[in-house]
Structure formats: structure tokens, C-alpha cells
């Protein structure tokens, strides 16, 4: 029963986008709302000297981009969330492709001014190949950008997935006033002067309530009502099954830099995103609720600690419970291996973990035993296929 509870309260997902769409900033704000950090670092701000939490490599700090996948775990409303913040720059896309084999869902970040870009299309192809559930966050609404309906059409045509807005913006750029949350029937008001000090005022209000005209002006309320009538006419009602099967992408709007729209995204995500699901092996399908441990190595990172020449193998747990100092079968070598100091992560910050469950990502100190795609089991000769879905060569970062 305890294992079942732990599995059902886990959400393991990747945040993906083209470079500079705001992916790492969104990651920072999710961590901020989850209480995992207390100060959000802006990746390119000269006013905030602290770098983004998820950008821990020197090259990332110098170039202002994410190069290697960062793993970050935190608790939010009794849900254990594991975020994999991936590189957006195409030079480092291989790491992202491998990471997508280890997640149960994905959030795609799109710049409202630039729309769907090249790298986003490529990443969506991998998600579609695995039927990975996808949510979309259209970012930077505090700047002038494309019309919301044009963006929704572009997502459908370029990413080849149906969309269903679960939020809709009121204005854009200098006229941006907020977002109406269709999922919870709440109005979130945007205050540009507050910047990063608060996430905005939330008002529970129906669209036909006359008070809406007083809050956002009669003109904006009229435009919002007519736009949402069009949304209802064009897009089908949101159904959980079509999202979980990867057929429909729920869409949210906001400004990650200003903490706006992020909480609405996160609150919806923990309700609808899938917990860890089944994994394929060459021999059979693995159910996450099985008591015996299975897991696979999807990434190996060298020199995470600049003071030591270390190698960390990232293990995605697929079933059972991982316990520190318990021997597990390394299938490719046939050897049983114990791990005295398995790590949980907050980007480059590591902590020893005694137990881990399906959906969790843990780091294992590697002296050269592991290759990407290797499987650890509790005595069974199983070879997971998850890491073999990616059409990329295996390498060490």
C-alpha cells in the first residue's frame, strides 16, 4: 500500500523548448512556488548576479543557456515533483532526446513573439513517437507577440497535435491585464509594477458576472467573452484521456519572468499529469507497482563537481523500491552492485538518499561500470527498451 501511495503522488516531467523561450526561467519559478528555492535567479539579468539554479555548469553561466539536463526534485501540495530542465540550444539536443526517455510527461515552452521554432518541432517528434502527454506554456505575454488564436493554430499545424486552451490572455504587451483560467474559472490579474514580488491577484468569477466589466473594463471584458465563445466553438471540451494519450495538449498563457501564470500551470499539472507508468523491456512489460526493482541508466555526466573527477550515472526507477546499500543486478555485466551513497538532486546540489520510488531519478557514482541503456534489477535479467527509443548515439557529457 505504501509503494502504491508513493507512486501515485509522483510526477516526473521534462521542460523543453527552443533556446531562449524562457524554459529555465519557468523552471526557477516552479521551484520557487514549490519552496525548493527562496530567490529566483534570472538567467540574463544584470541586476541579479545569482545564476539560475538549474544552470550549474560554468559554460551555462557564461553563455546564459542550459547545456546539460538538470534534475530537481521538490514537494508541492503533497505531490513529489521531479523536474528535468533540458537544454534548448540545438548544439546540446542529444542530452534532451535521451532525457525524454525518462519522463512521464512534458511541458513545452513557447515564446509568444517567436511562436513554434525549429528545436521545438524536433523535440515534439520524440514526444509524439512515445505518445508522451504534453502541456504547452505560451510565455512572455508581458511583451508584444502574435495573436493567441494564431499561436494556437501554429502549435496545431507545426507540432501536429490538437490543442485545448485551459487559460486565455487578456491583452498582450503593454496592454496585458491578466489571464482567465478556464480550468478553475478564475481571473488572474497582472500587475507589471510588482515584477517578481507577487504572482498577481486571483478572483473567482464567472464570465457573465457584471463585476468582470468593472475589474478589467467593459471593452476588455467584452473581448474576453467573445474570444472564449470562439474557443468553445472551435476547440472540444478538455478530456483527461485525450491528454494522457498524447492526442491533445492543454495550453496555458503567462510570463515566467514575472511569476505570472506559473501557479495556474502548476496547480493544473499536478491534477492531470500522469504518475509513473509502465515500461517496456525486451522480455516483457514492467508495471511500476511491481515490488521488485527495475531501472535504467539514461544519462552519464562526468565532472559534475569541478573539485573531483567524478562520473554520475542517472538512474530512472521504473518499479519497486531502491534502497541504499542493497545489492542490485547490473544486467549487462551479470554482477551484483551495492551503492553506499546514491544521490537525490537539486541541480548541482546532491544529498544522500536512503529510499527512492518509481518516477524518481537518482545519481549513482560510476567508476566506469555503466553505459547508457544499462538496466539494474532485483535479480531479473530484464533489458529495458526505454533508452533505446531515442534515435541518437549514446555518449557521455
Amino acid at each position: 500500500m505504501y509503494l502504491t501511495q508513493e507512486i501515485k503522488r509522483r510526477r516526473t516531467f521534462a521542460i523543453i523548448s527552443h533556446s531562449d523561450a524562457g524554459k529555465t526561467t519557468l523552471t526557477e519559478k516552479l521551484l520557487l512556488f514549490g519552496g525548493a528555492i527562496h530567490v529566483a535567479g534570472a538567467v540574463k539579468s544584470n541586476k541579479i548576479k545569482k545564476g539560475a539554479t538549474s544552470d550549474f555548469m560554468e559554460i551555462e553561466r557564461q553563455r546564459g543557456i542550459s547545456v546539460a539536463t538538470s534534475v530537481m526534485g521538490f514537494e508541492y501540495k503533497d505531490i513529489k515533483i521531479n523536474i528535468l530542465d533540458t537544454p534548448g540550444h540545438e548544439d546540446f539536443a542529444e542530452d534532451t532526446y535521451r532525457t525524454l526517455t525518462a519522463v512521464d510527461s512534458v511541458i513545452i515552452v513557447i515564446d509568444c513573439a517567436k511562436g513554434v521554432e525549429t528545436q521545438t518541432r524536433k523535440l515534439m517528434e520524440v514526444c509524439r513517437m512515445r505518445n508522451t502527454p504534453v502541456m504547452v506554456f505560451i510565455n512572455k505575454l508581458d511583451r508584444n507577440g502574435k495573436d493567441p488564436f494564431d499561436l494556437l493554430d501554429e502549435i496545431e499545424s507545426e507540432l501536429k497535435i490538437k490543442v485545448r486552451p485551459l487559460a486565455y490572455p487578456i491583452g498582450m504587451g503593454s496592454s496585458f491585464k491578466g489571464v482567465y483560467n478556464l480550468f478553475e474559472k478564475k481571473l488572474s490579474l497582472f500587475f507589471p509594477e510588482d515584477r517578481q514580488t507577487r504572482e498577481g491577484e486571483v478572483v473567482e468569477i464567472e464570465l457573465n458576472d457584471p463585476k468582470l466589466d468593472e475589474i478589467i473594463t467593459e471593452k476588455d471584458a467584452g473581448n474576453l467573452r467573445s474570444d472564449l465563445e470562439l474557443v468553445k466553438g472551435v476547440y472540444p471540451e478538455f478530456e483527461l484521456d485525450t491528454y494522457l494519450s498524447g492526442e491533445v495538449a492543454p495550453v496555458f498563457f503567462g510570463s515566467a519572468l514575472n511569476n505570472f501564470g506559473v501557479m495556474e500551470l502548476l496547480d493544473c499539472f499536478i491534477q492531470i499529469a500522469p504518475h509513473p507508468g509502465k515500461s517496456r523491456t525486451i522480455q516483457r512489460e514492467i508495471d511500476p507497482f511491481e515490488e521488485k526493482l527495475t531501472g535504467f541508466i539514461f544519462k552519464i555526466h562526468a565532472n559534475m563537481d569541478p573539485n573531483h573527477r567524478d562520473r554520475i550515472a542517472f538512474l530512472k526507477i521504473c518499479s519497486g523500491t531502491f534502497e541504499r546499500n542493497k545489492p542490485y543486478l547490473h544486467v549487462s555485466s551479470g554482477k551484483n552492485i551495492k551503492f553506499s551513497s546514491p544521490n537525490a538532486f537539486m541541480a548541482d546540489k546532491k544529498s544522500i538518499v536512503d529510499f527512492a520510488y518509481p518516477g524518481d531519478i537518482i545519481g549513482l557514482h560510476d567508476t566506469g561500470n555503466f553505459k547508457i541503456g544499462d538496466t539494474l534489477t532485483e535479480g531479473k535479467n530484464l533489458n529495458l527498451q526505454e533508452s533505446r527509443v531515442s534515435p541518437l548515439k549514446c555518449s557521455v557529457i
Side-chain angles (χ1 to χ4, degrees):
M1 180 62 71
Y2 185 74
L3 176 62
T4 299
Q5 292 173 346
E6 287 297 324
I7 293 172
K8 288 186 175 181
R9 76 182 195 94
R10 274 163 167 72
R11 307 288 185 272
T12 301
F13 71 102
I15 300 182
I16 62 175
S17 76
H18 195 86
S19 181
D20 204 32
K23 167 182 51 58
T24 298
T25 305
L26 176 61
T27 303
E28 286 281 308
K29 300 311 167 73
L30 291 173
L31 296 174
L32 192 66
F33 283 124
I37 59 174
H38 301 290
V39 178
V43 176
K44 294 189 175 180
S45 173
N46 292 324
K47 296 179 182 178
I48 303 175
K49 298 301 182 184
K50 175 185 178 294
T53 298
S54 56
D55 287 341
F56 61 88
M57 296 170 66
E58 186 60 30
I59 186 175
E60 294 179 316
R61 298 190 189 280
Q62 290 174 358
R63 293 181 60 176
I65 59 172
S66 297
V67 172
T69 299
S70 298
V71 179
M72 291 149 287
F74 66 94
E75 301 256 347
Y76 179 74
K77 295 185 177 179
D78 201 36
I79 298 295
K80 173 65 186 300
I81 297 175
N82 296 306
I83 301 179
L84 283 76
D85 175 30
T86 60
H89 199 281
E90 62 182 355
D91 290 352
F92 308 99
E94 185 177 326
D95 190 51
T96 300
Y97 292 140
R98 291 200 303 267
T99 297
L100 291 177
T101 69
V103 299
D104 301 300
S105 64
V106 161
I107 292 178
I108 295 178
V109 183
I110 293 175
D111 186 322
C112 73
K114 298 177 181 177
V116 177
E117 299 177 84
T118 304
Q119 189 60 19
T120 313
R121 295 187 196 97
K122 293 178 181 178
L123 295 171
M124 184 61 203
E125 288 177 12
V126 179
C127 294
R128 190 164 47 250
M129 182 170 60
R130 303 183 70 247
N131 297 320
T132 304
V134 168
M135 295 179 74
V136 176
F137 183 73
I138 297 179
N139 194 22
K140 305 185 181 182
L141 266 291
D142 56 317
R143 304 181 186 180
N144 289 321
K146 299 180 180 181
D147 178 82
F149 284 109
D150 289 342
L151 284 165
L152 294 170
D153 288 345
E154 188 175 325
I155 292 168
E156 286 198 326
S157 62
E158 296 286 341
L159 300 186
K160 296 179 175 58
I161 187 171
K162 296 178 182 178
V163 298
R164 178 49 163 102
L166 292 186
Y168 197 83
I170 304 163
M172 190 176 289
S174 60
S175 64
F176 181 51
K177 290 188 175 179
V179 167
Y180 189 79
N181 187 335
L182 291 157
F183 188 68
E184 296 184 343
K185 292 184 171 58
K186 292 180 180 178
L187 175 68
S188 297
L189 299 174
F190 178 65
F191 301 98
E193 67 275 8
D194 288 344
R195 298 293 291 174
Q196 299 189 37
T197 57
R198 63 171 172 167
E199 63 271 14
E201 181 182 343
V202 178
V203 180
E204 289 194 35
I205 190 167
E206 295 284 346
L207 281 172
N208 57 4
D209 192 324
K211 290 183 179 178
L212 185 64
D213 301 63
E214 301 174 16
I215 297 171
I216 62 172
T217 76
E218 185 177 344
K219 179 181 177 181
D220 286 330
N223 290 337
L224 177 64
R225 291 184 182 108
S226 62
D227 284 346
L228 292 184
E229 278 298 315
L230 187 55
V231 166
K232 292 178 182 178
V234 172
Y235 305 102
E237 286 294 320
F238 174 70
E239 294 181 359
L240 183 60
D241 289 345
T242 57
Y243 158 67
L244 293 176
S245 63
E247 298 172 51
V248 174
V251 180
F252 284 82
F253 293 80
S255 170
L257 182 64
N258 292 287
N259 283 3
F260 192 81
V262 178
M263 183 174 287
E264 290 81 359
L265 174 72
L266 183 57
D267 285 341
C268 177
F269 174 82
I270 62 173
Q271 292 185 57
I272 70 173
H275 61 67
K278 294 180 179 180
S279 304
R280 299 190 303 271
T281 72
I282 295 172
Q283 292 80 8
R284 64 180 178 87
E285 203 170 51
I286 300 295
D287 192 291
F289 298 98
E290 293 181 20
E291 294 184 1
K292 299 289 186 180
L293 178 115
T294 55
F296 71 96
I297 304 295
F298 68 93
K299 170 185 171 181
I300 298 174
H301 199 127
N303 302 323
M304 282 188 70
D305 184 347
N307 298 317
H308 302 90
R309 291 185 176 276
D310 63 343
R311 274 169 53 113
I312 300 292
F314 286 73
L315 178 75
K316 162 71 181 293
I317 298 174
C318 300
S319 69
T321 303
F322 181 95
E323 298 180 35
R324 180 184 174 194
N325 286 320
K326 183 175 180 178
Y328 295 106
L329 176 65
H330 179 216
V331 174
S332 65
S333 69
K335 297 178 181 178
N336 286 306
I337 306 176
K338 288 183 181 181
F339 302 95
S340 60
S341 54
N343 296 129
F345 295 97
M346 173 52 68
D348 62 332
K349 297 179 178 65
K350 296 178 288 187
S351 59
I352 302 297
V353 62
D354 292 315
F355 298 94
Y357 303 91
D360 287 342
I361 310 292
I362 58 174
L364 306 176
H365 290 282
D366 178 30
T367 57
N369 293 317
F370 295 117
K371 300 188 300 294
I372 293 171
D374 281 0
T375 307
L376 283 181
T377 73
E378 208 162 339
K380 299 290 185 181
N381 283 307
L382 299 172
N383 298 94
L384 269 86
Q385 294 177 309
E386 292 288 349
S387 58
R388 294 168 176 79
V389 173
S390 173
L392 295 161
K393 61 182 181 182
C394 295
S395 66
V396 177
I397 294 174

